Amino acid sequence: MLLIQLKTAIGRATSRNDVSTIRDALEVSAEMFKKDANNVSDYVQRHLISLSIWEELRFWEGYFDYLMDRFSSKSANYASLVSAQLITVASHMAGLGLPDTDAWYMIETIAEKNNIGYKQFIQLRGFLSHIQQLRIGYWGLSSIKGQSSLSNGMPSPLSKDATNDDQQPAEASGIGRSWVQSMFSREASSRSHSFSRVRKWTSDAANENGTPRKQDSTAGGKKIQSNIRIIRGHAGAITALHCVTKREVWDLVGDREDAGFFISGSTDCLVKIWDPSLRGSELRATLKGHTRTVRAINSDRGKVVSGSDDQSVLVWDKQTSQLLEELKGHDAQVSCVRMLSGERVLTASHDGTVKMWDVRTDTCVATVGRCSSAVLCMEYDDSTGILAAGGRDAVANIWDIRAGRQMHKFLGHTKWIRSIRMDRDTVITGSDDWTARMWSIARGTCDAVLACHAGPVQCVEYSSSDRGIITGSSDGLLRFWENDDGGIKCVKNVTIHSSAILSINAGDHWLGIGAADNSMSLFHRPQERLGGFSGTGSKMSGWQLYRTPQKTVAVVRCIASDLERKRICSGGRNGLLRLWEATINI
């Protein structure tokens, strides 16, 4: 009965825009709880989730301002004060049962307006994730709106305890009853503090920048078409996957043209070349030579190069499938390989070195870079000779290999660097410390820290056409960042994937995404019209979901995209390749 009265009081206060009453009810409901046999608090707040007021950003902004005014004299450190009040807000959101993505969006918006640092962002994200997991661990996953619409709220997992009123603390009961009774005894005009309601959040609601906060998986009402092929051939998990681009084979014609081919490596020690245009007989060649798991693959106009846990680098002829060279010199597994012009190969290893090889003489020309720990990712600009590498030492190392010198050791990350992307003067790094960073080679500085993910940043991409950044994380979120007034901010947050984002491949108008739950997505951005992008809002928010196929239960290890043909290929732990072709034109 008390719960029904509390919900009625909040409903009436909402209808007359009485924010003070709603705020008081929120705090009172947090103090009302029962406990089960294991002394776990059963918060009454979770029964109030059916009320739409909790979905309104304006309410939480007002509540945050109220907390700041209330406690402003108790702390001299502004950032700490903001973080403390946002933790209070996050606690209420978790108690109510707001979905993590909705709760974080509102907390992130308030935090950005108060200009807190990236360290506070990480702490807030970690706290919200932690309490959300505690809530889910106790109550389990549920359709909150559907169940909470009942008058008595969601059923407790311990129904016997949920109906035992004797276990409710007397003081909490007294606070709740006295407050609810006082609300019904007041007249509607007793509260003068009001606020304007904002429209409810839905899957297609726009944020303050005019961009959708959530992406509709139907891609703007179009029927989702899945054209997926399962390609078999490997006897072990797929651990490396590479797509041959037009740029690699620009001067080849006729039957030697292999743009669009996929090359895979596996724990079965084999490298295989696939031609997607040959349905039913996609396998073109099997390259044998490695004795342990293949970890990295690359190619150029006529050769394929691969690196393995056996510490070797092998080079094959694409046309004959013959082994040309075996490059030995690393003292640990090879993590990255790159074919360069002039019959050269660039390799990186867990031994902390980056080596340059001459394929014609089968020799190591030079160790062009040294790190204090394993190298996990590497980028090289063949036109400038600039090499960027990162790994377990959390340092982004920059070398000018033509001059034979190290240019920078970018410090700032606190955990492993998992991904790196370089475009002219800009270097983007993603780390296990939940952040991505943007660096300037010319200035030798960190220009921005991107800190809003709730897990390691697994992949980063740079959109050179509009100088935007795209990040993917273990939290399953895809974020689009854009330069704004000398800084950088997130202008779009996509939540269609439920597991770690493993790959981001951006072109001028197409964007391919692969995730660890074996889900893939393709985004499209309309071409410029009359000197500007079609549609309103920022350029980065112009990316729109085009297609996404159905998911499967297989766990993905690697992804490669062929944006020219709108193909995405994923390799799973079950040894299968899953090729998706979104070939329908707009």
Side-chain angles (χ1 to χ4, degrees):
M1 183 63 182
L2 181 61
L3 176 61
I4 297 175
Q5 290 178 337
L6 183 64
K7 294 176 69 174
T8 303
I10 298 174
R12 290 182 180 179
T14 301
S15 65
R16 61 176 185 263
N17 295 335
D18 186 352
V19 67
S20 298
T21 297
I22 300 171
R23 183 183 65 214
D24 293 345
L26 177 70
E27 295 181 342
V28 167
S29 63
E31 299 179 23
M32 300 168 58
F33 61 88
K34 294 179 284 188
K35 289 188 175 181
D36 65 11
N38 297 317
N39 204 38
V40 176
S41 299
D42 174 7
Y43 288 95
V44 170
Q45 279 185 308
R46 70 187 181 86
H47 298 282
L48 306 177
I49 188 60
S50 60
L51 300 172
S52 61
I53 186 63
W54 315 125
E55 298 178 341
E56 298 187 3
L57 175 61
R58 184 67 59 85
F59 168 76
W60 293 107
E61 289 179 326
Y63 182 60
F64 169 78
D65 292 338
Y66 161 77
L67 292 175
M68 289 293 289
D69 293 339
R70 184 176 174 185
F71 295 100
S72 60
S73 61
K74 297 184 179 181
S75 175
N77 188 314
Y78 180 75
S80 298
L81 177 62
V82 170
S83 297
Q85 306 321 316
L86 285 176
I87 284 176
T88 300
V89 172
S91 299
H92 285 305
M93 290 179 173
L96 289 165
L98 281 176
D100 179 83
T101 52
D102 292 353
W104 175 242
Y105 171 79
M106 291 187 278
I107 292 173
E108 177 188 358
T109 301
I110 298 171
E112 286 180 342
K113 289 182 178 180
N114 287 271
N115 299 316
I116 68 171
Y118 75 92
K119 291 184 179 180
Q120 284 78 23
F121 259 110
I122 297 173
Q123 291 171 353
L124 287 170
R125 196 61 185 92
F127 175 78
L128 181 62
S129 299
H130 175 67
I131 58 177
Q132 290 281 12
Q133 288 300 318
L134 290 178
R135 177 181 63 81
I136 293 173
Y138 182 65
W139 297 111
L141 293 169
S142 58
S143 177
I144 296 175
K145 277 294 182 184
Q147 296 189 34
S148 58
S149 61
L150 301 175
S151 60
N152 292 326
M154 293 189 295
S156 169
L158 300 175
S159 57
K160 178 180 179 180
D161 173 71
T163 57
N164 188 350
D165 292 335
D166 295 336
Q167 293 186 20
Q168 184 173 348
E171 59 272 19
S173 176
I175 291 173
R177 289 196 176 96
S178 63
W179 184 87
V180 172
Q181 291 170 0
S182 68
M183 287 300 101
F184 283 99
S185 65
R186 298 176 187 179
E187 294 181 356
S189 61
S190 63
R191 297 279 185 172
S192 59
H193 191 169
S194 63
F195 66 100
S196 299
R197 297 191 63 189
V198 296
R199 66 176 177 269
K200 289 182 62 178
W201 288 9
T202 58
S203 60
D204 57 350
N207 64 19
E208 293 179 346
N209 298 305
T211 58
R213 186 183 59 83
K214 288 187 177 181
Q215 291 297 315
D216 192 334
S217 61
T218 59
K222 300 175 185 177
K223 183 178 180 181
I224 299 175
Q225 301 193 26
S226 298
N227 184 13
I228 296 179
R229 275 182 279 164
I230 303 299
I231 302 176
R232 295 171 170 83
H234 283 292
I238 310 297
T239 51
L241 194 58
H242 172 70
C243 177
V244 180
T245 65
K246 274 191 174 181
R247 185 176 181 180
E248 293 177 2
V249 294
W250 61 271
D251 63 345
L252 299 183
V253 294
D255 59 1
R256 295 184 62 196
E257 176 65 66
D258 58 351
F261 283 18
F262 288 94
I263 309 176
S264 60
S266 169
T267 57
D268 62 11
C269 310
L270 301 177
V271 175
K272 292 179 179 287
I273 302 177
W274 311 88
D275 181 358
S277 64
L278 302 176
R279 288 183 173 269
S281 56
E282 291 88 354
L283 182 61
R284 290 289 299 267
T286 298
L287 311 180
K288 301 179 180 180
H290 285 296
T291 58
R292 296 187 64 185
T293 299
V294 179
R295 296 292 179 182
I297 297 173
N298 201 245
S299 68
D300 69 357
R301 291 165 290 176
K303 297 180 178 64
V304 175
V305 59
S306 60
S308 167
D309 283 358
D310 61 15
Q311 305 179 15
S312 72
V313 177
L314 301 184
V315 182
W316 284 277
D317 184 283
K318 270 187 179 179
Q319 304 307 314
T320 65
S321 303
Q322 295 298 312
L323 179 62
L324 299 177
E325 306 290 349
E326 182 176 4
L327 310 178
K328 290 188 175 182
H330 284 297
D331 298 325
Q333 72 181 67
V334 178
S335 55
C336 308
V337 295
R338 171 82 180 272
M339 288 292 302
L340 307 179
S341 60
E343 299 293 322
R344 296 170 301 156
V345 175
L346 198 63
T347 63
S349 168
H350 283 218
D351 62 14
T353 65
V354 182
K355 295 180 180 292
M356 179 78 75
W357 308 79
D358 188 331
V359 175
R360 294 166 296 188
T361 59
D362 189 20
T363 58
C364 177
V365 177
T367 298
V368 296
R370 292 185 182 274
C371 301
S372 60
S373 188
V375 179
L376 303 179
C377 50
M378 175 184 72
E379 274 275 274
Y380 178 66
D381 186 342
D382 207 3
S383 63
T384 63
I386 303 299
L387 170 67
R392 290 181 179 175
D393 60 5
V395 178
N397 294 278
I398 310 295
W399 295 276
D400 182 345
I401 66 174
R402 292 178 182 173
R405 65 185 180 91
Q406 181 161 20
M407 299 178 64
H408 304 293
K409 294 184 70 171
F410 287 135
L411 305 176
H413 285 300
T414 59
K415 293 186 178 180
W416 296 5
I417 295 177
R418 293 284 186 179
S419 54
I420 194 166
R421 179 77 168 85
M422 181 169 59
D423 188 280
R424 290 168 289 188
D425 180 58
T426 301
V427 173
I428 313 294
T429 54
S431 169
D432 279 0
D433 63 10
W434 295 16
T435 71
R437 288 175 178 257
M438 182 170 68
W439 315 84
S440 170
I441 298 176
R443 294 187 299 273
T445 59
C446 177
D447 292 344
V449 179
L450 287 55
C452 286
H453 282 291
V457 178
Q458 299 280 7
C459 49
V460 293
E461 179 65 297
Y462 186 74
S463 179
S464 57
S465 60
D466 46 31
R467 298 177 60 208
I469 298 173
I470 309 165
T471 59
S473 167
S474 295
D475 61 10
L477 297 183
L478 185 69
R479 288 182 174 269
F480 294 78
W481 307 80
E482 187 173 72
N483 285 298
D484 178 65
D485 296 330
I488 190 165
K489 67 176 182 179
C490 181
V491 296
K492 194 183 190 75
N493 183 22
V494 179
T495 60
I496 60 174
H497 295 287
S498 59
S499 191
I501 307 295
L502 297 181
S503 174
I504 304 174
N505 185 15
D508 289 337
H509 304 292
W510 294 98
L511 177 69
I513 308 296
D517 57 2
N518 211 4
S519 65
M520 297 170 276
S521 56
L522 188 67
F523 289 78
H524 175 259
R525 181 172 58 185
Q527 296 184 10
E528 294 185 21
R529 299 174 184 172
L530 302 178
F533 283 87
S534 61
T536 60
S538 61
K539 289 184 178 180
M540 289 303 292
S541 62
W543 288 105
Q544 300 298 324
L545 181 64
Y546 177 58
R547 293 281 186 271
T548 179
Q550 295 178 349
K551 302 177 183 180
T552 67
V553 297
V555 177
V556 173
R557 294 288 297 271
C558 46
I559 307 285
S561 301
D562 178 10
L563 296 181
E564 290 284 341
R565 297 164 179 79
K566 297 190 284 294
R567 290 175 180 156
I568 303 178
C569 186
S570 67
R573 289 182 181 174
N574 55 5
L576 302 179
L577 291 175
R578 189 167 178 253
L579 179 64
W580 173 46
E581 296 179 281
T583 56
I584 303 171
N585 293 325
I586 293 180

